[in-house]
Amino acid sequence: MGPMIDKIGSCAYSRSRANFRLYLVILFLSCWLLLLYVLSLGTDTRNSKSTKGMDLPTLYEYYTEGGITAGLETLPDTFQLNKKNITIFSGAIHYFRVHPDYWRDRLRKLRAAGFNAVETYIPWNLHEPERDKYDFGHGSSDMSLFLDVVKYIKTAQEEDLLVLVRPSPYICAEWDFGGMPSWLLQYPGLRVRSSETQYVDRVKKYNSRLMPLLESLQFTKGGPIIAFQLENEYGALTEDGSEEDVDYLKFLKEDYEKYGIVELLYTSDNPISHEERGSLPGVLQTANFQINPEDELSLLKKFQPDKPGMVMEYWSGWFDHWFEKQHHTTSVEAFSDVLERILKFPASVNLYMFHGGTNFGFHNGANIQDEFPHYLADVTSYDYDAPLTETGDYTNKYYACKHIVAKYNKVLTKVPSSPVVSKKMAYKPISVTGQLNFNQIIDRIVSC
């Protein structure tokens, strides 16, 4: 039995050594995996902490800590909000181009990408569709459902976003008549976007309804609005030989202030094309462009050396016209390259558009050109090749934005998880039961 016992003892010893070696391998691998996990947290703190680090403050907690003593201010090389440095990472989402049921979804997707602000125009022609008949979400028109701008701005605040508002009478935005109501054309001699008396009187009446709604939503009043635009690309008016009406810009500034608007005011133009035309002394100038960021921003800095750079419209894509052969797109690589160069300059930025949405009804605008067919009507879709598609789906541009913002954002705050994409469905075909040709439509209008 002796040799048998030795053999058994030797086997047991061998198994013990093998188990010990296996234990060491498992321990080593466990430590290595734990080390990799810790390193991964450290290399991407802006994204991982934003979703997992519950000790981070919200955006509003960070910028309102200790009470609100100041709004958005300009220093030579940076913005400050409530006396704290801020780089504005903003994206345009127009409430009137998105069904209200999706407002929160689109806004949360913006915040989930690390952005800290949303920008929107306010279209005069929707809010005063008929002379002296105003609609801010409680009217009876087909578009009334879309027009509760106060609710939209409050929803943005609930989603931890600051707001840049562009309530100027003219918005462009590839929107019908640039957002001005068509009934203005009934006034003989009225000159839009000028200090002409009839036009100014109508703007005053409109502002008397709009501005009180926005006054209480200002950041210094506890709301989310940090800045207001006076006019939109006003310098472009001079391209056809028109003279700049500085008195009109002064009127807008005074009228805003009359209603208690105290947040930062700004204008937006293309510096290379329009230089300082469209601006007003003491009002922040911002830039609109798609390429050549260093040239545009250097010129902007030359015009206002005591203020930081801000790109109010970095065009993420472009819009389409009827009968064009293809959808306008901008590659992710080209888009990302310019965005990084803007932030490196350094400057703040608003993406136009972050989510384009839809030109509902007949509110799509148009462009004119010298060549045939001269009049180019915009399509119903305002997809714009933006980071979020017309239906709110994520694109490669979205993920590029998220990566770039995380790289340049120095203020870490809580960021929500990205919402799931919505389910899609196809509606059943609808049979056409009747039609009117163009002449029949004209006859009906005349008879009315």
Side-chain angles (χ1 to χ4, degrees):
M1 296 296 294
M4 181 64 72
I5 293 172
D6 290 342
K7 187 175 182 180
I8 293 173
S10 177
C11 289
Y13 177 73
S14 297
R15 285 198 299 273
S16 176
R17 291 186 62 188
N19 289 340
F20 181 72
R21 285 197 295 272
L22 180 61
Y23 170 79
L24 288 177
V25 169
I26 293 172
L27 180 62
F28 176 79
L29 289 175
S30 299
C31 292
W32 179 248
L33 290 172
L34 180 61
L35 178 61
L36 287 176
Y37 175 72
V38 172
L39 288 174
S40 70
L41 290 177
T43 56
D44 192 17
T45 55
R46 290 179 177 87
N47 286 333
S48 59
K49 282 187 178 181
S50 63
T51 56
K52 299 175 183 178
M54 299 305 292
D55 55 327
L56 287 174
T58 66
L59 187 72
Y60 277 88
E61 287 172 344
Y62 179 82
Y63 282 107
T64 62
E65 182 183 11
I68 299 173
T69 60
L72 187 66
E73 298 174 305
T74 58
L75 299 180
D77 295 311
T78 187
F79 288 100
Q80 284 194 339
L81 183 63
N82 204 22
K83 303 302 181 182
K84 292 184 177 181
N85 288 358
I86 182 171
T87 298
I88 300 171
F89 301 95
S90 177
I93 304 176
H94 300 157
Y95 61 96
F96 49 94
R97 280 180 159 132
V98 182
H99 193 284
D101 287 352
Y102 296 110
W103 283 352
R104 190 176 298 277
D105 172 82
R106 306 302 192 257
L107 292 167
R108 186 168 297 179
K109 285 172 178 173
L110 176 65
R111 185 71 183 110
F115 286 69
N116 54 21
V118 61
E119 174 266 301
T120 186
Y121 282 121
I122 296 179
W124 181 7
N125 58 2
L126 289 189
H127 291 295
E128 194 180 358
E130 298 179 55
R131 186 167 41 204
D132 297 323
K133 293 184 179 179
Y134 300 93
D135 187 352
F136 291 97
H138 304 93
S140 57
S141 73
D142 292 339
M143 288 299 295
S144 183
L145 177 69
F146 294 78
L147 300 184
D148 194 342
V149 61
V150 171
K151 181 179 180 181
Y152 179 77
I153 293 172
K154 288 182 176 179
T155 302
Q157 184 172 19
E158 291 168 5
E159 292 302 320
D160 205 26
L161 287 163
L162 303 166
V163 178
L164 299 169
V165 172
R166 304 172 85 178
S168 51
Y170 172 80
I171 64 172
C172 182
E174 290 71 58
W175 196 248
D176 187 40
F177 200 21
M180 295 181 293
S182 59
W183 49 259
L184 287 173
L185 301 175
Q186 297 173 354
Y187 288 80
L190 183 146
R191 198 151 39 94
V192 299
R193 304 179 73 189
S194 77
S195 57
E196 190 271 328
T197 304
Q198 295 177 98
Y199 179 71
V200 166
D201 287 344
R202 292 313 314 184
V203 174
K204 285 181 178 178
K205 288 187 177 181
Y206 170 60
N207 280 347
S208 71
R209 297 299 188 98
L210 174 63
M211 292 303 163
L213 299 178
L214 304 178
E215 187 272 338
S216 62
L217 298 174
Q218 296 179 93
F219 180 80
T220 50
K221 303 292 180 68
I225 301 176
I226 58 173
F228 291 80
Q229 178 171 279
L230 281 185
E231 240 280 356
N232 188 74
E233 296 181 328
Y234 194 63
L237 276 181
T238 60
E239 291 179 2
D240 65 358
S242 301
E243 291 187 9
E244 183 182 12
D245 190 341
V246 178
D247 288 338
Y248 168 56
L249 296 177
K250 291 179 179 178
F251 150 69
L252 289 174
K253 181 176 183 293
E254 292 170 1
D255 209 46
Y256 282 22
E257 293 171 345
K258 181 175 71 176
Y259 292 102
I261 302 303
V262 297
E263 305 298 340
L264 186 70
L265 300 177
Y266 63 91
T267 59
S268 63
D269 284 282
N270 180 271
I272 290 178
S273 299
H274 310 138
E275 297 184 332
E276 292 192 90
R277 294 187 294 274
S279 65
L280 198 63
V283 174
L284 178 71
Q285 298 176 53
T286 65
N288 299 350
F289 59 79
Q290 189 173 42
I291 58 175
N292 301 326
E294 293 84 4
D295 293 342
E296 299 282 5
L297 288 167
S298 294
L299 194 54
L300 188 66
K301 190 66 175 176
K302 177 183 177 182
F303 296 149
Q304 45 180 23
D306 60 335
K307 290 182 171 60
M310 174 72 197
V311 182
M312 188 50 58
E313 292 186 19
Y314 167 42
W315 302 323
S316 61
W318 205 244
F319 50 91
D320 300 322
H321 298 115
W322 287 108
F323 308 118
E324 287 179 330
K325 294 181 179 180
Q326 60 187 14
H327 172 48
H328 286 283
T329 60
T330 303
S331 72
V332 176
E333 292 75 19
F335 164 79
S336 300
D337 174 62
V338 173
L339 180 57
E340 283 220 53
R341 287 157 63 190
I342 289 170
L343 296 172
K344 280 180 181 177
F345 186 79
S348 289
V349 67
N350 174 59
L351 296 189
Y352 190 98
M353 300 289 297
F354 185 85
H355 169 58
T358 306
N359 296 315
F360 294 103
F362 296 100
H363 292 289
N364 53 305
N367 300 88
I368 57 172
Q369 63 179 16
D370 293 334
E371 300 81 18
F372 182 84
H374 306 297
Y375 182 83
L376 304 174
D378 301 325
V379 302
T380 304
S381 171
Y382 201 62
D383 177 83
Y384 213 86
D385 193 36
L388 287 182
T389 67
E390 182 181 13
T391 55
D393 292 343
Y394 302 108
T395 68
N396 288 335
K397 277 186 184 176
Y398 178 90
Y399 298 111
C401 286
K402 189 172 185 177
H403 171 75
I404 293 170
V405 170
K407 181 178 177 180
Y408 288 92
N409 187 10
K410 299 177 182 178
V411 177
L412 304 186
T413 54
K414 288 180 183 178
V415 176
S417 300
S418 298
V420 297
V421 296
S422 60
K423 294 182 179 179
K424 310 299 187 297
M425 64 179 292
Y427 292 100
K428 295 180 180 180
I430 298 175
S431 299
V432 177
T433 59
Q435 65 182 31
L436 290 172
N437 63 36
F438 184 75
N439 288 330
Q440 289 172 317
I441 294 173
I442 296 297
D443 290 341
R444 290 192 173 212
I445 293 174
V446 173
S447 64
C448 291

